[in-house]
Amino acid sequence: MTTTTAPHHADAPTAEHVHDAHDAHEQSFFTKYLWSTDHKVIGFQYMITGLLMAIIGGYMAYGFRMQLAWPGEWIPGVGFLSSGRYNAFITTHGTVMIFWFAMPVLIAAFGNWLIPLMTGCDDMAFPRINRLSYQVFLISAVVLIGSFFVDGGAFGGAWTAYPPLSSKATMNLTPLGSTLWVVAVALEFVAFLLGGINFITTAMNARAPGMSMMNIPIVVWMIVVASILFMVSVGPLVAGAAMLVFDQQLGTHFFDPGQGGDPILWQHLFWFFGHPEVYVVLLPAMGICAEIITCNARKKFFGYKTLIYTVFATGIISFFVWAHHQFVAGIDPRMANVFTITTLIISIPIAEMLFLFIATLAGGQIRLNVPMLWALSFVAEFLLGGVTGIFLGASGSDIYFHDTYFVIAHFHYTFVPIAVIACFAGFTHWIPKMTGRMMNETIGKLHFWFTIIGFNLVFLPLFITGAWGDHRRIYNYDHFPDLTNAAMQDLRIASTVGLLIMIAAQGFFVWNLLWTWLKGPPAGDNPWQATTLEWATTSPPGHGNFHPMPTVYRGPYEYSVPGAAADFTPQHLPPA
Amino acid sequence: MTAISAPMMPLEVKGGAEPPARRQLVSSATLGMLIFIAVELMFFAGLISAFTIVKSTAPPGAWPPPGQPRLPLELTGITTLVLLCSGALAWLSWRAFSRRAATARVTRPLVAALVLGASFVVVQGVEWLRLVGEGLTMRASTYGSFFYMIVGAHALHALAGLAALAWCWRRHAAGRLAPSSFAAVLALWTFVVALWPALYAVVYL
């Protein structure tokens, strides 16, 4: 066991590190913001890129929701949406929101901001690999956006990219776009591999003295476990992606049943990654909400160890549920039974986590500030997503619900709380730390309520149309008389109106950002009276984060301890 | 740090007698490499399971496809042994290195490991040329596709491992090789070497 004073000086100290280890010095804009190895700057890069990509994903959603509500009509800002563009829009919406919004924001941005600050170290274990991670990520985003401008347009075979639609240009009509899509996703995976190696290594090797494994804040554990899940699950998909590119460009037949290949093979490789991926984004979101709920309930987190072990259990079980996406793909019914059972089993640890959140809230002195509102709504909305998942996890009912809007509504009731609600929760909670300025509570509450109302209006109607048998992947319902009755079309329009409200609500967010930038009051070191280490340093933290480096004396959630001087006892405070 | 110079050391801290230092599981370089190897292991697991599924669902008599050339069993068996020797030599070099032996005792097995590893890759390449000439191409059949995919992926890893070994050699010659770097490279090369017999068994046998 080696012991060192600072993490990344252990291996091959370079001139650069020795030089700028702790003393900040004047740097040009380029080296400071674009070529930085500082984890906080890289966190901002990921956050800003992720939010910009979310605008692109939201624009796509706007385009196809307008088409679905008023088919064939001219859409302001989009024009007439052809069927090919419609397919490209839904594909890019899904891909962008998962790979270029949820993952960069929840794992990369918050991971970069929080892991070194919460574990009390000066930077990531491998700062230059961290920088490379963002650069590769940026290239991947450029490749994806670029695919809209090549011959044939962007890939339109859904974010799941099932062959043969994705593998044969004669079917998808996007000879270059489909390959660029795979390449962009693969590059994005490389970026997150580099990032994930950093997150795990930093959290395991560079923690402040005294911080035992069971003193690590929950969100750090969550990001670490999410990174492990991502790493273990992504390998088979990378193998599948390589095979897919070979099928597209080299003329191999990995997924061509007529030539000895197997199209179901892709579905297995994809969902072996795709389902753990749900937990890859869910766990950091839950960690963010756990931090905020504990802090604002002014109570110790209920069952810290239970939560950590539950997270490990979730991570392991998440590798045994993937085929519940394939109940109608022609898999053996006996296999479907097995996967139904594992799917129902995984709802137990997730429910347990939500119960722990509720138990933490019970009897607390709850502060309903903006981050807390977001975190509480995460619990409520995610619960709806989780409960409706039971119907889809059971193979019997899934045969009816498969490929209906019920699936879309279920999925978005899990994913919007994860990517949007938890993202805003974490953003509003930690932006005072990262910028040194408080956000506006009133504008924040307006933003919150309009977003939540809009979001529910988008997806509640879709549960109903889905239960009525409304099929997804249909560009224009005018061609399907069974699906064009007035009641269904009204619900579709309601859903689109909800989306417009949700998009308009983001105006409050932009307003709040500008307000914070121009006249946000100074935040001080610890505006929320929180206990974890990131609040022990200045806002924003300087280069090297802590002066002096902290030592940890207790667990992360010592709120309202009887007999203590204040209702919170920070981790770094030496015992009296 | 003694108790006198650290009067604030609390009793609750686990292992309170230890100095307040950052504890590492293993060196960061090795941990990062081990995580990377885990990813690569899953990558090959994906390839092998895909290969096994396609192979097992092929109609009787269609695998390997009739009319396609057979893979060179014996020659590859020999190169497998060569690669295993290379791995053993790399470990010998590490042993000498960690015991701070004379430079030559570190360098000689390291260079031998490099040469044997490189010869493994070269023989593979020559065999590929022969097989392609005989009609086993990536497009000809899924048999060929999987063969080049899996063996090619391993060859890329072998090249990366050889480059890393060569880098270690140069650093050591300059007297600047950190033990953690060598350990990470050794982990990578061990992975490349240990994976190959499994791939040989699945793809060739």
Side-chain angles (χ1 to χ4, degrees):
Chain A
M1 188 172 290
T2 47
T3 56
T4 54
T5 48
H8 62 261
H9 298 175
D11 311 312
T14 61
E16 182 191 340
H17 285 153
V18 173
H19 170 61
D20 72 0
H22 282 287
D23 49 320
H25 55 93
E26 282 307 307
Q27 292 169 310
S28 68
F29 179 85
F30 179 76
T31 44
K32 193 170 179 186
Y33 296 110
L34 299 179
W35 205 256
S36 174
T37 54
D38 188 303
H39 71 97
K40 300 179 288 294
V41 175
I42 294 171
F44 268 110
Q45 289 172 334
Y46 266 116
M47 177 62 82
I48 292 166
T49 316
L51 291 177
L52 290 177
M53 291 304 281
I55 293 175
I56 294 177
Y59 171 76
M60 305 283 161
Y62 163 76
F64 62 73
R65 274 306 330 161
M66 292 294 278
Q67 159 70 23
L68 289 169
W70 297 285
E73 291 187 25
W74 187 82
I75 303 165
V78 178
F80 293 103
L81 197 64
S82 69
S83 53
R85 269 180 89 205
Y86 175 90
N87 285 341
F89 270 36
I90 56 164
T91 304
T92 311
H93 169 75
T95 316
V96 161
M97 288 303 196
I98 290 170
F99 293 130
W100 278 276
F101 169 46
M103 287 187 63
V105 167
L106 288 169
I107 299 189
F110 284 116
N112 266 304
W113 281 355
L114 299 180
I115 288 179
L117 286 174
M118 284 188 148
T119 57
C121 58
D122 55 352
D123 205 332
M124 284 286 177
F126 310 110
R128 281 174 297 171
I129 289 183
N130 206 18
R131 178 179 66 194
L132 181 66
S133 158
Y134 175 72
Q135 289 162 344
V136 174
F137 173 75
L138 189 64
I139 293 170
S140 75
V142 171
V143 170
L144 185 82
I145 295 168
S147 73
F148 271 87
F149 304 101
V150 298
D151 207 20
F155 177 54
W159 82 283
T160 51
Y162 281 6
L165 186 58
S166 57
S167 63
K168 285 193 189 302
T170 48
M171 292 187 178
N172 58 40
L173 305 178
T174 52
L176 216 59
S178 46
T179 300
L180 284 180
W181 181 90
V182 184
V183 169
V185 172
L187 282 174
E188 201 261 7
F189 290 164
V190 172
F192 280 96
L193 287 182
L194 299 172
I197 288 174
N198 247 320
F199 298 153
I200 299 169
T201 309
T202 307
M204 291 299 114
N205 268 359
R207 296 191 307 278
M211 183 177 273
S212 70
M213 288 283 186
M214 287 298 158
N215 282 341
I216 301 176
I218 290 171
V219 67
V220 175
W221 263 126
M222 293 286 202
I223 294 174
V224 166
V225 174
S227 297
I228 294 172
L229 289 188
F230 176 77
M231 305 256 180
V232 177
S233 63
V234 79
L237 181 60
V238 172
M243 289 154 72
L244 187 59
V245 170
F246 284 178
D247 268 15
Q248 288 169 345
Q249 296 296 339
L250 298 182
T252 56
H253 305 291
F254 287 113
F255 302 123
D256 184 349
Q259 307 274 346
D262 185 356
I264 304 290
L265 188 57
W266 166 266
Q267 300 187 16
H268 284 294
L269 293 173
F270 182 85
W271 287 117
F272 183 79
F273 163 80
H275 204 84
E277 169 71 14
V278 174
Y279 299 94
V280 169
V281 288
L282 169 65
L283 294 182
M286 283 203 141
I288 287 166
C289 293
E291 299 290 332
I292 294 167
I293 285 175
T294 318
C295 174
N296 289 309
R298 311 309 291 168
K299 261 181 77 185
K300 194 170 181 166
F301 190 84
F302 185 92
Y304 172 92
K305 282 190 181 177
T306 312
L307 185 85
I308 301 301
Y309 293 134
T310 308
V311 170
F312 293 154
T314 310
I316 292 165
I317 303 171
S318 74
F319 284 98
F320 300 97
V321 298
W322 80 87
H324 67 215
H325 295 270
Q326 300 164 247
F327 285 148
V328 299
I331 64 171
D332 193 314
R334 288 164 298 183
M335 200 158 115
N337 285 343
V338 171
F339 280 96
T340 296
I341 291 165
T342 55
T343 304
L344 299 185
I345 285 174
I346 203 170
S347 62
I348 294 170
I350 299 294
E352 189 172 321
M353 286 187 218
L354 291 181
F355 280 128
L356 291 179
F357 283 22
I358 294 165
T360 305
L361 287 166
Q365 296 188 324
I366 296 172
R367 295 189 305 208
L368 276 182
N369 53 21
V370 172
M372 186 63 165
L373 284 175
W374 286 113
L376 290 177
S377 69
F378 171 85
V379 175
E381 305 283 6
F382 183 79
L383 191 64
L384 262 173
V387 167
T388 51
I390 303 285
F391 299 97
L392 301 170
S395 61
S397 50
D398 180 69
I399 288 169
Y400 175 73
F401 282 125
H402 191 87
D403 258 353
T404 67
Y405 270 87
F406 191 89
V407 177
I408 305 234
H410 153 72
F411 174 76
H412 284 86
Y413 260 101
T414 59
F415 201 77
V416 174
I418 290 170
V420 177
I421 295 180
C423 162
F424 283 132
F427 192 88
T428 47
H429 187 70
W430 278 293
I431 214 67
K433 172 54 60 184
M434 300 315 297
T435 64
R437 286 164 185 271
M438 297 300 286
M439 296 184 82
N440 187 305
E441 283 280 308
T442 314
I443 308 175
K445 281 179 183 165
L446 285 171
H447 174 221
F448 167 78
W449 283 111
F450 278 96
T451 306
I452 290 295
I453 290 168
F455 158 58
N456 283 291
L457 188 54
V458 181
F459 294 108
L460 278 178
L462 296 187
F463 277 127
I464 302 168
T465 62
W468 289 347
D470 196 1
H471 198 277
R472 63 196 285 207
R473 310 191 201 290
I474 288 178
Y475 156 66
N476 186 339
Y477 286 95
D478 291 346
H479 307 303
F480 296 84
D482 291 349
L483 299 175
T484 42
N485 61 60
M488 285 177 103
Q489 196 57 32
D490 285 349
L491 287 173
R492 284 186 201 120
I493 292 173
S495 170
T496 302
V497 169
L499 179 73
L500 295 178
I501 294 174
M502 200 175 164
I503 290 174
Q506 305 320 306
F508 289 114
F509 181 61
V510 176
W511 179 18
N512 205 348
L513 285 183
L514 290 173
W515 187 92
T516 310
W517 190 16
L518 296 176
K519 45 183 178 179
D525 288 356
N526 192 356
W528 311 118
Q529 292 92 42
T531 51
T532 41
L533 283 181
E534 79 270 31
W535 307 103
T537 181
T538 52
S539 305
H543 198 74
N545 292 346
F546 297 96
H547 308 278
M549 299 305 279
T551 302
V552 169
Y553 298 98
R554 57 182 66 76
Y557 305 111
E558 298 293 322
Y559 290 103
S560 304
V561 179
D567 78 332
F568 68 106
T569 318
Q571 278 191 286
H572 66 283
L573 204 69
Chain B
M1 192 181 285
T2 62
I4 297 163
S5 66
M8 298 304 286
M9 273 295 284
L11 294 173
E12 301 96 275
V13 176
K14 295 240 172 76
E18 290 174 26
R22 284 159 202 269
R23 297 166 46 148
Q24 299 197 337
L25 295 172
V26 291
S27 82
S28 292
T30 311
L31 182 59
M33 181 57 80
L34 289 177
I35 298 168
F36 175 73
I37 288 172
V39 174
E40 296 302 291
L41 199 62
M42 288 305 292
F43 169 76
F44 281 101
L47 283 180
I48 288 174
S49 56
F51 173 79
T52 314
I53 288 170
V54 169
K55 180 182 174 182
S56 63
T57 51
W63 196 275
Q68 289 267 292
R70 292 292 166 266
L71 300 176
L73 267 185
E74 295 81 5
L75 180 61
T76 315
I78 294 166
T79 55
T80 304
L81 291 178
V82 169
L83 190 64
L84 288 173
C85 289
S86 169
L89 284 165
W91 273 96
L92 275 180
S93 172
W94 164 254
R95 208 178 108 183
F97 178 79
S98 58
R99 291 179 180 182
R100 299 175 204 285
T103 310
R105 291 190 52 203
V106 178
T107 311
R108 258 188 249 130
L110 189 60
V111 174
L114 254 172
V115 171
L116 289 183
S119 61
F120 167 81
V121 176
V122 169
V123 172
Q124 291 276 13
V126 172
E127 281 302 304
W128 274 32
L129 290 178
R130 187 180 65 78
L131 287 168
V132 169
E134 289 177 9
L136 185 71
T137 60
M138 279 201 90
R139 276 189 223 194
S141 61
T142 46
Y143 182 64
S145 309
F146 271 112
F147 170 71
Y148 289 111
M149 180 95 194
I150 296 175
V151 177
H154 180 266
L156 284 179
H157 284 79
L159 286 175
L162 288 172
L165 283 179
W167 177 84
C168 279
W169 175 31
R170 296 303 305 273
R171 296 280 291 194
H172 185 63
R176 295 195 297 138
L177 180 58
S180 57
S181 308
F182 196 8
V185 171
L186 186 72
L188 175 65
W189 189 245
T190 308
F191 167 70
V192 170
V193 170
L195 179 66
W196 177 254
L199 295 183
Y200 176 68
V202 172
V203 178
Y204 285 78
L205 299 182

